[in-house]
Short mmCIF file of all heavy atoms in Angstrom, two decimals:
data_model
loop_
_atom_site.label_atom_id
_atom_site.label_comp_id
_atom_site.label_asym_id
_atom_site.label_seq_id
_atom_site.Cartn_x
_atom_site.Cartn_y
_atom_site.Cartn_z
N GLU A 1 -20.98 4.55 0.13
CA GLU A 1 -19.63 4.94 0.55
C GLU A 1 -19.39 4.48 1.99
O GLU A 1 -18.29 4.03 2.33
CB GLU A 1 -19.48 6.46 0.42
CG GLU A 1 -18.07 6.98 0.68
CD GLU A 1 -17.80 7.27 2.14
OE1 GLU A 1 -18.78 7.54 2.89
OE2 GLU A 1 -16.63 7.20 2.56
N ARG A 2 -20.41 4.59 2.84
CA ARG A 2 -20.27 4.15 4.23
C ARG A 2 -20.02 2.65 4.29
O ARG A 2 -19.19 2.17 5.07
CB ARG A 2 -21.51 4.49 5.03
CG ARG A 2 -21.36 4.21 6.53
CD ARG A 2 -22.69 3.93 7.23
NE ARG A 2 -23.70 4.91 6.95
CZ ARG A 2 -24.97 4.76 7.30
NH1 ARG A 2 -25.36 3.66 7.94
NH2 ARG A 2 -25.86 5.68 7.02
N MET A 3 -20.75 1.87 3.47
CA MET A 3 -20.54 0.44 3.46
C MET A 3 -19.15 0.08 2.94
O MET A 3 -18.51 -0.88 3.40
CB MET A 3 -21.62 -0.24 2.62
CG MET A 3 -23.00 -0.27 3.23
SD MET A 3 -23.12 -1.25 4.76
CE MET A 3 -22.95 0.06 5.99
N ALA A 4 -18.65 0.86 1.98
CA ALA A 4 -17.29 0.62 1.49
C ALA A 4 -16.28 0.87 2.61
O ALA A 4 -15.30 0.11 2.76
CB ALA A 4 -17.01 1.52 0.29
N ARG A 5 -16.49 1.92 3.40
CA ARG A 5 -15.61 2.17 4.54
C ARG A 5 -15.74 1.08 5.59
O ARG A 5 -14.77 0.73 6.27
CB ARG A 5 -15.92 3.53 5.16
CG ARG A 5 -15.30 4.71 4.41
CD ARG A 5 -15.42 6.03 5.15
NE ARG A 5 -16.80 6.50 5.18
CZ ARG A 5 -17.58 6.49 6.25
NH1 ARG A 5 -17.12 5.99 7.40
NH2 ARG A 5 -18.81 6.96 6.20
N THR A 6 -16.95 0.54 5.75
CA THR A 6 -17.17 -0.54 6.69
C THR A 6 -16.34 -1.77 6.30
O THR A 6 -15.65 -2.36 7.14
CB THR A 6 -18.66 -0.91 6.75
OG1 THR A 6 -19.41 0.22 7.17
CG2 THR A 6 -18.90 -2.06 7.71
N LEU A 7 -16.42 -2.15 5.03
CA LEU A 7 -15.64 -3.30 4.56
C LEU A 7 -14.15 -3.05 4.69
O LEU A 7 -13.39 -3.92 5.14
CB LEU A 7 -16.00 -3.60 3.11
CG LEU A 7 -17.37 -4.22 2.86
CD1 LEU A 7 -17.60 -4.42 1.36
CD2 LEU A 7 -17.51 -5.56 3.58
N ALA A 8 -13.72 -1.85 4.29
CA ALA A 8 -12.30 -1.52 4.38
C ALA A 8 -11.84 -1.54 5.83
O ALA A 8 -10.76 -2.05 6.15
CB ALA A 8 -12.04 -0.15 3.76
N GLY A 9 -12.67 -1.00 6.73
CA GLY A 9 -12.30 -0.97 8.14
C GLY A 9 -12.17 -2.36 8.73
O GLY A 9 -11.22 -2.65 9.48
N SER A 10 -13.10 -3.24 8.40
CA SER A 10 -13.03 -4.60 8.89
C SER A 10 -11.77 -5.29 8.40
O SER A 10 -11.06 -5.96 9.17
CB SER A 10 -14.28 -5.37 8.43
OG SER A 10 -14.26 -6.70 8.87
N SER A 11 -11.47 -5.13 7.12
CA SER A 11 -10.30 -5.78 6.54
C SER A 11 -9.00 -5.22 7.13
O SER A 11 -8.07 -5.99 7.44
CB SER A 11 -10.31 -5.58 5.02
OG SER A 11 -9.21 -6.21 4.41
N VAL A 12 -8.94 -3.91 7.31
CA VAL A 12 -7.73 -3.28 7.86
C VAL A 12 -7.47 -3.76 9.29
O VAL A 12 -6.33 -4.07 9.66
CB VAL A 12 -7.86 -1.74 7.80
CG1 VAL A 12 -6.82 -1.08 8.68
CG2 VAL A 12 -7.73 -1.25 6.37
N MET A 13 -8.52 -3.82 10.10
CA MET A 13 -8.34 -4.30 11.48
C MET A 13 -7.90 -5.76 11.51
O MET A 13 -7.01 -6.14 12.28
CB MET A 13 -9.63 -4.11 12.27
CG MET A 13 -9.97 -2.68 12.61
SD MET A 13 -11.35 -2.55 13.79
CE MET A 13 -12.73 -3.19 12.82
N ALA A 14 -8.54 -6.58 10.65
CA ALA A 14 -8.16 -7.99 10.60
C ALA A 14 -6.70 -8.14 10.19
O ALA A 14 -5.95 -8.93 10.79
CB ALA A 14 -9.07 -8.74 9.64
N ASP A 15 -6.28 -7.38 9.18
CA ASP A 15 -4.89 -7.46 8.72
C ASP A 15 -3.92 -7.06 9.83
O ASP A 15 -2.85 -7.66 9.98
CB ASP A 15 -4.69 -6.56 7.51
CG ASP A 15 -5.35 -7.10 6.25
OD1 ASP A 15 -5.76 -8.27 6.25
OD2 ASP A 15 -5.47 -6.33 5.28
N ALA A 16 -4.30 -6.05 10.61
CA ALA A 16 -3.43 -5.61 11.70
C ALA A 16 -3.25 -6.71 12.74
O ALA A 16 -2.14 -6.92 13.27
CB ALA A 16 -3.99 -4.35 12.36
N LEU A 17 -4.32 -7.45 13.04
CA LEU A 17 -4.22 -8.52 14.02
C LEU A 17 -3.51 -9.75 13.46
O LEU A 17 -2.84 -10.47 14.19
CB LEU A 17 -5.60 -8.90 14.54
CG LEU A 17 -6.25 -7.83 15.44
CD1 LEU A 17 -7.59 -8.33 15.96
CD2 LEU A 17 -5.34 -7.46 16.61
N VAL A 18 -3.64 -9.98 12.16
CA VAL A 18 -2.86 -11.05 11.53
C VAL A 18 -1.37 -10.74 11.66
O VAL A 18 -0.56 -11.61 12.03
CB VAL A 18 -3.26 -11.21 10.05
CG1 VAL A 18 -2.26 -12.12 9.32
CG2 VAL A 18 -4.67 -11.79 9.92
N ALA A 19 -1.00 -9.49 11.38
CA ALA A 19 0.40 -9.09 11.45
C ALA A 19 0.94 -9.15 12.88
O ALA A 19 2.14 -9.36 13.09
CB ALA A 19 0.57 -7.68 10.89
N ALA A 20 0.05 -8.96 13.87
CA ALA A 20 0.48 -8.90 15.27
C ALA A 20 0.36 -10.24 15.98
O ALA A 20 0.57 -10.31 17.20
CB ALA A 20 -0.34 -7.85 16.01
N ALA A 21 0.05 -11.32 15.25
CA ALA A 21 -0.22 -12.61 15.90
C ALA A 21 0.95 -13.09 16.74
O ALA A 21 0.76 -13.75 17.77
CB ALA A 21 -0.59 -13.66 14.84
N GLY A 22 2.17 -12.76 16.35
CA GLY A 22 3.34 -13.22 17.10
C GLY A 22 3.38 -12.66 18.50
O GLY A 22 3.82 -13.35 19.43
N ARG A 23 2.92 -11.44 18.69
CA ARG A 23 2.99 -10.84 20.02
C ARG A 23 1.68 -10.98 20.81
O ARG A 23 1.69 -10.92 22.03
CB ARG A 23 3.41 -9.38 19.95
CG ARG A 23 2.55 -8.45 19.12
CD ARG A 23 3.24 -7.09 18.96
NE ARG A 23 2.51 -6.17 18.13
CZ ARG A 23 1.69 -5.21 18.59
NH1 ARG A 23 1.52 -5.09 19.90
NH2 ARG A 23 1.07 -4.39 17.77
N THR A 24 0.56 -11.16 20.13
CA THR A 24 -0.71 -11.31 20.84
C THR A 24 -1.06 -12.76 21.12
O THR A 24 -1.87 -13.05 21.99
CB THR A 24 -1.87 -10.71 20.02
OG1 THR A 24 -2.03 -11.46 18.80
CG2 THR A 24 -1.60 -9.24 19.69
N GLN A 25 -0.45 -13.69 20.35
CA GLN A 25 -0.78 -15.12 20.44
C GLN A 25 -2.26 -15.35 20.17
O GLN A 25 -2.88 -16.25 20.73
CB GLN A 25 -0.39 -15.67 21.81
CG GLN A 25 1.09 -15.55 22.13
CD GLN A 25 1.95 -16.29 21.11
OE1 GLN A 25 1.80 -17.49 20.90
NE2 GLN A 25 2.87 -15.58 20.47
N ALA A 26 -2.82 -14.54 19.30
CA ALA A 26 -4.21 -14.69 18.87
C ALA A 26 -4.24 -14.71 17.35
O ALA A 26 -3.46 -14.01 16.70
CB ALA A 26 -5.07 -13.54 19.40
#
């Protein structure tokens, strides 16, 4: 269950930065 949360957490953070690319320029 911890590893499942690890994968979900990594994906969620990545998605947030993909969505914010316009303002972060990253």
